Amino acid sequence: MPAFVGAVKVNSVGSSSIFHIGDVYAMSPVSSAKTFAGGGSFNTGDGLTLSLDQSYTYVTDSDTMDQTIMGNA
């Protein structure tokens, strides 16, 4: 539905955000991330007890690009 919009002030827009005023068919922000984590890294809850003796995370990643994002389709 068309509308008239007055003055708009945008202080900042993050890299994975969308700012659009007006008619639009679809908006779909796209992002990708790579996370390396060792044992016990993503535990959540109350009263956790972890015992990780000599826990190591070895990362060998020779790729220059794992997931490219071209356009926003």
Side-chain angles (χ1 to χ4, degrees), residues 24-28:
V24 65
Y25 174 71
M27 292 187 286
S28 57

Side-chain angles (χ1 to χ4, degrees), residues 5-62:
V5 178
V8 175
K9 180 181 178 184
V10 178
N11 291 329
S12 66
V13 176
S15 62
S16 63
S17 301
I18 294 177
F19 178 77
H20 186 85
I21 295 177
D23 294 339
V24 65
Y25 174 71
M27 292 187 286
S28 57
V30 178
S31 67
S32 66
K34 183 188 297 188
T35 304
F36 300 107
S41 296
F42 298 112
N43 291 322
T44 58
D46 296 329
L48 288 174
T49 302
L50 300 175
S51 177
L52 299 171
D53 296 332
Q54 296 180 345
S55 176
Y56 299 101
T57 301
Y58 297 105
V59 177
T60 304
D61 186 15
S62 61

